[in-house]
Amino acid sequence: MSGPTSTGFWSKATNSRLFLPVVVLAGILIFDLLFIPSFRNIELKDGHLYGNLIDVLRNSAPTVILAIGMTLVIATGGVDLSVGAVMAISSSVACIMLNPSILGTNLSGNIGDLISDPGYSWAPMWAVILVPLVVATLCGLWNGVLVSYGRIQPMVATLILMIAGRGIAQLITNAVKIIIFNDNYAQIGNGWIVLPVAFYIAAALFIVSWIITRRTAIGMFVESVGINFRSSYYSGINERRVKLFAYAFCGFCAGVAALIVSSSIRTSDANQIGLYTELDAILAVVIGGTVMGAGGRFSLMGSALGAIALQATTTSMYAMGVAASAIIAVKAVVVICVILLYSQQAQDFVKGLGTRSSQKEAAR
Amino acid sequence: MPDPTPDFVAVTGPDIVAMAGIDKRFPGVHALQNVDFSVARGEIHALVGENGAGKSTLVKVLTGVERPDKGTITLDGHVVSIHSPLHAQELGISTVYQEVDLCPNLTVAENILIGRQPTRFGSIDWAALNDQARRHLRTLEIDIDVTQPLGSYSVAIQQMAAIARALVIRNARVLILDEPTSSLTAHETAQLFRVMRKLKSEGIAVVFITHFLDQVYEVTDRVTVLRNGALVGTYPTASLSRMELIKLMLGRSVTTLDDMAAHKIAATEGISAETLLQADGVGLSGSIEPFDLKLHAGEVVGLAGLLGSGRTEIANILFGVDKPDSGTLTFGGKVVRRFSPADSIARGVALCPEDRKAEGIVGDLSVRENIILAMQASRGWFKRLGTREQYEIADKYIALLSIATPHADQPVKNLSGGNQQKVILARWLAANPRLLILDEPTRGIDVGTKADIQKLVITLAEEGKSCVFISSELDEVLRTSHRIVVLRDRAKASEFAGNVDEKEIMEAIAGSAS
């Protein structure tokens, strides 16, 4: 009997789950480096690195973070459509804690002076960061309860919060866009310590998630529940709790992404923040090789690479001067190519290349 | 055992379809072994056998879903090769499945004539459509409003509509009914039988697959028995007593391997006096009538009975999948209050479920992960077994149960059925339970593995573990069990201990009506 142990670098590489995400990302980056000159420039200014490639790292951070949470949800056989709306809710919570004047909170002193003071925050900074994360996790728990205990289809269950979430966010901020003057908070999305702070946050979350899923049994339970929840149940796994965890964690990730995005654009805009990001996150997961709809084996690294590849595509479009309105269309073309690349036929063809070349070698 | 009828005495007419020497293998399973089967014009032919006997594979071959590896199918004296279900229908072979595969939101008439709607000036002639549908149903003696959605009628009517569709549109000459009565009431079944007899009188050959032996006797002319993928024989129904039929279905002996016969469980010496499990009037309405059961440490209790007699239902209650609504269950001296697999595993109960694919294996996970799954689940989320420990456990059981896999990282779905079963056994052995419930552990697996599993049960009992052994094969139950509980019609019928006579058990399985 022969398993997937057939020798040769090519077959080893093509059998790896990271093969396709790496190929996609490498393809886009090679294209960029060849045809877009600005991608070749990385400058060191004031001890910080700048350039298009660095921008890709910075701008992909929220999608990477969302994709990590989404990976676990998709691995359980579900999907979370509400992450964009959850981002809107938690960024509204963060902004209102920085500057609640809009709600008519009785503040001492001259309000006008305070809100434009770059050092002013109504709540202490730890609370401004922690409370939105807790709120986002609760949103995820809500989704998880609907899916695992309510036995509602994940798409329908999370659609509820996807639609209601932006309304809730509007209620929190009284439907006003709150501008953020606080410079400390703005560091989350705009800060730079050699590399962008957002990149460090994404990297840290990635490592933590990897430890949580792979250094405990949670990762295997998530996969087991996604592949066959009945068998998992018969093996004594509490499949409801596993799903609950996945959705809650996905909500938490949306909260982290919300902090980065709102601080980066220095406002909470309940209608715009996180709009369509759920789709980017799902797409990143799919590019990363976790199967949508069927659940099962997941790859956090694949999802992260997928998210970076998506952002690299967008950044290259901007760099090439494609109009912002046309970018979505171009992105769609890229997505079609990627999905075709993932089809069974294409994969068999690629694997066949290895055997054909080794046959040729043998013939010689 | 009665001799098979000197081949195919034409009961009613010449054969329409004759299948000869049909052979079909699936990975790890020899699903059909040189099976002959034929149906004659104007007969109702029962196809019976326990699960895994090969009925569904035979039907799939006949309806073009599966291609046979060997053998020929003759239709009206011409050899045909059936490549698809559509092709089978064109040849006049139609099937009505247990689950009605029509559209419940379309009207009855649309369902019957879909794809063949009468048209006028290029658009559907609704009046003619409804009229035709009404006429077709009347030939089945059904008079209903055909303009109502199909879903608004009972399952029986839906099945009639499916039959009407099969007959009218396809011009069927062979109609296969795959367990059509399993969800019907007695009254609806009677109606279906009237229709079947009418079709028979019109010269259509009806193949009737059922688990209900009463119905075999009520409506069929001949009966073909399959067991373990092999043909047992074809008999005129009237010439076969119910006892003989059950004997043929369950099989006196699957194999004459001396090896297996040599491994008969020892008498009661190894059983301790300690009661491990006691059920007093435990039952669940709609599932199993209240039953009493006592199990000692080191004892193997066999559950015998036909499919649907309540064997699996008892297993599910003992393992906590179902919560009983009457009686008390005591395990290890304590009354059981929390019913769930996780709680049962914590108590030391394990279950190898009947449906290996749906409830046993986790296909995409590796052999290693499947083996440690239950053990890890009882350790919780955070006390992860180290990778090296995982490999040690997996390799130990791969060697112990001689699981044929290239390495421990092979996805379990790539293994044969018998080896998948061993992986699930390994999962439970690794969890070290006090009571192991095996629901049809040897179904659909090869003889060698069967012997291995039987030996394993005996060894476990000798080590002081208790076991509930469920099997459709009576000699297997006899060989491995200290005591045998016979179930019939979802209730405990009787209990046998000590040296039991096989005949007595068969009589108990068949009931007084034998």
Side-chain angles (χ1 to χ4, degrees):
Chain A
M1 251 190 254
S2 77
T5 47
S6 42
T7 48
F9 173 76
W10 183 256
S11 66
K12 229 179 217 171
T14 52
N15 276 317
S16 161
R17 238 168 328 142
L18 286 179
F19 177 68
L20 281 173
V22 168
V23 166
V24 170
L25 182 58
I28 292 169
L29 289 182
I30 288 170
F31 174 88
D32 289 342
L33 292 173
L34 288 179
F35 299 104
I36 308 171
S38 64
F39 262 84
R40 280 169 244 156
N41 300 336
I42 293 182
E43 293 171 51
L44 191 67
K45 253 189 255 169
D46 311 329
H48 302 319
L49 289 168
Y50 293 93
N52 273 346
L53 280 175
I54 307 298
D55 282 347
V56 169
L57 283 187
R58 187 178 83 119
N59 295 336
S60 62
T63 317
V64 168
I65 290 165
L66 290 175
I68 288 169
M70 189 69 78
T71 306
L72 294 193
V73 169
I74 288 182
T76 64
V79 69
D80 186 350
L81 295 180
S82 71
V83 289
V86 172
M87 280 175 73
I89 293 176
S90 22
S91 59
S92 295
V93 170
C95 290
I96 213 73
M97 289 180 72
L98 282 166
N99 186 357
S101 57
I102 208 76
L103 295 186
T105 310
N106 200 5
L107 298 163
S108 53
N110 188 328
I111 289 171
D113 285 350
L114 281 176
I115 53 175
S116 54
D117 172 4
Y120 173 76
S121 170
W122 175 73
M125 194 47 72
W126 62 265
V128 172
I129 290 171
L130 199 64
V131 173
L133 294 181
V134 170
V135 169
T137 310
L138 289 176
C139 289
L141 267 177
W142 159 259
N143 285 330
V145 168
L146 289 185
V147 170
S148 61
Y149 291 91
R151 294 268 177 236
I152 300 176
Q153 275 184 28
M155 207 173 268
V156 178
T158 57
L159 194 63
I160 297 170
L161 195 55
M162 179 190 180
I163 293 163
R166 291 190 188 277
I168 295 169
Q170 299 268 19
L171 283 177
I172 292 170
T173 59
N174 220 355
V176 173
K177 284 187 204 175
I178 301 177
I179 306 213
I180 298 168
F181 292 97
N182 187 303
D183 277 346
N184 292 329
Y185 185 75
Q187 285 296 312
I188 299 172
N190 289 322
W192 232 274
I193 307 170
V194 185
L195 288 171
V197 170
F199 167 75
Y200 293 119
I201 295 175
L205 190 84
F206 176 85
I207 293 166
V208 168
S209 314
W210 189 85
I211 291 171
I212 287 178
T213 53
R214 295 304 183 194
R215 287 287 128 205
T216 72
I218 293 173
M220 186 176 78
F221 288 166
V222 165
E223 290 178 336
S224 177
V225 166
I227 296 164
N228 189 338
F229 76 89
R230 282 195 68 81
S231 292
S232 308
Y233 172 68
Y234 273 80
S235 303
I237 296 171
N238 189 332
E239 43 105 11
R240 295 182 177 191
R241 220 175 282 163
V242 169
K243 284 186 182 167
L244 199 62
F245 166 78
Y247 283 90
F249 185 74
C250 188
F252 171 79
C253 289
V256 177
L259 294 181
I260 295 177
V261 172
S262 64
S263 89
S264 160
I265 60 175
R266 283 181 170 255
T267 173
S268 102
D269 180 347
N271 286 325
Q272 290 299 320
I273 277 193
L275 197 60
Y276 300 136
T277 47
E278 56 277 342
L279 301 181
D280 278 350
I282 292 168
L283 197 55
V285 173
V286 171
I287 294 174
T290 305
V291 180
M292 168 87 188
R297 291 288 192 191
F298 67 86
S299 163
L300 292 177
M301 181 53 98
S303 300
L305 292 176
I308 297 173
L310 277 180
Q311 186 58 48
T313 315
T314 312
T315 307
S316 345
M317 296 299 133
Y318 279 120
M320 288 167 74
V322 176
S325 50
I327 282 183
I328 296 176
V330 179
K331 216 160 138 186
V333 174
V334 173
V335 167
I336 290 170
C337 296
V338 168
I339 299 301
L340 283 178
L341 194 63
Y342 276 65
S343 71
Q344 195 58 49
Q345 282 90 336
Q347 288 190 18
D348 290 345
F349 177 75
V350 173
K351 281 178 190 163
L353 288 181
T355 48
R356 236 170 280 160
S357 61
S358 57
Q359 275 164 1
K360 267 182 212 160
E361 277 163 34
R364 261 174 236 157
Chain B
M1 193 191 297
D3 286 332
T5 35
D7 245 59
F8 308 126
V9 172
V11 189
T12 28
D15 286 350
I16 296 182
V17 169
M19 304 170 81
I22 301 291
D23 218 84
K24 179 77 193 171
R25 277 175 193 276
F26 294 112
V29 190
H30 200 168
L32 289 176
Q33 298 156 32
N34 196 22
V35 172
D36 299 331
F37 179 67
S38 65
V39 251
R41 172 178 294 280
E43 76 162 338
I44 301 177
H45 195 132
L47 187 57
V48 298
E50 289 284 284
N51 270 354
K55 291 169 302 189
S56 57
T57 313
L58 190 68
V59 166
K60 280 179 184 163
V61 168
L62 185 55
T63 53
V65 178
E66 300 281 356
R67 307 290 296 272
D69 298 335
K70 266 186 260 166
T72 53
I73 301 173
T74 320
L75 187 70
D76 285 332
H78 304 285
V79 173
V80 289
S81 143
I82 303 172
H83 8 266
S84 69
L86 190 66
H87 186 214
Q89 287 172 353
E90 282 162 3
L91 293 171
I93 303 170
S94 279
T95 317
V96 175
Y97 293 98
Q98 187 176 359
E99 304 293 331
V100 178
D101 53 348
L102 300 179
C103 313
N105 48 349
L106 296 185
T107 70
V108 175
E110 285 171 308
N111 266 298
I112 293 175
L113 290 165
I114 197 163
R116 301 278 172 102
Q117 300 95 336
T119 55
R120 200 173 52 174
F121 310 126
S123 67
I124 293 175
D125 184 347
W126 290 102
L129 176 94
N130 291 336
D131 197 47
Q132 280 183 23
R134 215 169 285 129
R135 253 188 301 123
H136 293 318
L137 276 177
R138 260 194 215 125
T139 61
L140 300 180
E141 294 169 1
I142 309 282
D143 201 358
I144 55 167
D145 183 356
V146 295
T147 61
Q148 291 299 309
L150 183 74
S152 63
Y153 287 105
S154 67
V155 180
I157 295 289
Q158 295 186 27
Q159 240 153 11
M160 299 299 172
I163 292 172
R165 172 174 168 74
L167 292 176
V168 168
I169 298 187
R170 312 291 182 193
N171 263 323
R173 289 179 304 151
V174 179
L175 180 67
I176 302 165
L177 301 172
D178 190 357
E179 295 197 38
T181 55
S182 51
S183 51
L184 301 189
T185 65
H187 176 73
E188 291 166 338
T189 305
Q191 190 178 20
L192 177 69
F193 286 173
R194 269 203 304 282
V195 170
M196 282 165 66
R197 290 198 186 96
K198 186 166 161 45
L199 297 175
K200 172 188 162 178
S201 70
E202 286 163 10
I204 289 172
V206 181
V207 178
F208 179 49
I209 300 173
T210 183
H211 277 118
F212 299 100
L213 299 189
D214 293 344
Q215 298 178 355
V216 171
Y217 283 98
E218 190 177 341
V219 80
T220 66
D221 302 305
R222 285 197 298 171
V223 50
T224 292
V225 184
L226 296 178
R227 189 174 68 232
N228 282 329
L231 176 71
V232 177
T234 299
Y235 315 89
T237 311
S239 77
L240 203 62
S241 81
R242 178 190 279 261
M243 265 299 291
E244 284 167 331
L245 181 56
I246 289 174
K247 214 162 160 184
L248 294 173
M249 282 169 68
L250 299 186
R252 243 199 58 77
S253 171
V254 215
T255 165
T256 49
L257 278 185
D258 297 339
D259 184 40
M260 284 169 79
H263 281 85
K264 166 114 180 69
I265 192 134
T268 49
E269 294 111 45
I271 305 173
S272 83
E274 179 203 346
T275 305
L276 180 66
L277 178 142
Q278 184 163 0
D280 294 311
V282 173
L284 174 60
S285 55
S287 170
I288 178 94
E289 296 292 313
F291 63 92
D292 297 336
L293 187 69
K294 210 169 183 179
L295 196 61
H296 299 91
E299 187 180 30
V300 182
V301 168
L303 298 188
L306 292 176
L307 197 92
S309 59
R311 304 173 310 192
T312 300
E313 286 75 3
I314 287 188
N316 281 346
I317 285 179
L318 297 184
F319 188 56
V321 175
D322 293 328
K323 191 179 186 323
D325 55 8
S326 66
T328 45
L329 184 67
T330 321
F331 188 87
K334 285 191 203 117
V335 175
V336 174
R337 299 190 195 287
R338 294 162 64 98
F339 285 86
S340 83
D343 288 315
S344 299
I345 292 165
R347 279 192 289 274
V349 185
L351 167 72
C352 277
E354 183 182 21
D355 192 338
R356 184 165 58 228
K357 210 164 176 182
E359 292 163 351
I361 62 162
V362 184
D364 283 320
L365 289 191
S366 67
V367 171
R368 163 179 57 93
E369 287 165 311
N370 268 282
I371 288 176
I372 61 136
L373 198 61
M375 201 178 170
Q376 180 66 65
S378 59
R379 286 170 65 107
W381 290 17
F382 299 108
K383 281 201 266 166
R384 178 176 178 271
L385 281 161
T387 309
R388 198 197 303 159
E389 227 176 315
Q390 293 189 12
Y391 278 107
E392 276 168 14
I393 294 167
D395 290 338
K396 176 182 152 196
Y397 285 102
I398 288 172
L400 184 73
L401 301 177
S402 36
I403 298 171
T405 177
H407 45 79
D409 287 325
Q410 181 84 344
V412 77
K413 64 178 177 187
N414 295 351
L415 267 55
S416 74
N419 283 303
Q420 290 179 358
Q421 187 70 50
K422 285 180 178 177
V423 168
I424 297 169
L425 278 170
R427 177 190 294 167
W428 292 120
L429 294 183
N432 196 22
R434 298 166 75 189
L435 166 64
L436 181 61
I437 305 166
L438 300 166
D439 194 354
E440 292 278 9
T442 62
R443 170 186 301 160
I445 61 182
D446 58 276
V447 173
T449 311
K450 272 185 189 175
D452 286 350
I453 290 175
Q454 293 172 16
K455 264 185 266 177
L456 183 73
V457 169
I458 294 167
T459 318
L460 287 175
E462 283 163 5
E463 287 169 5
K465 295 197 192 306
S466 307
C467 201
V468 172
F469 190 90
I470 302 174
S471 173
S472 295
E473 285 168 30
L474 199 50
D475 55 341
E476 193 175 86
V477 179
L478 279 165
R479 219 169 18 243
T480 52
S481 311
H482 293 111
R483 259 187 311 135
I484 294 177
V485 171
V486 174
L487 297 161
R488 192 174 62 239
D489 297 332
R490 298 177 182 274
K492 180 172 167 181
S494 45
E495 191 170 323
F496 298 88
N499 249 341
V500 208
D501 182 28
E502 192 176 325
K503 199 161 163 250
E504 270 182 77
I505 294 184
M506 284 209 187
E507 271 164 13
I509 291 174
S512 50
S514 57

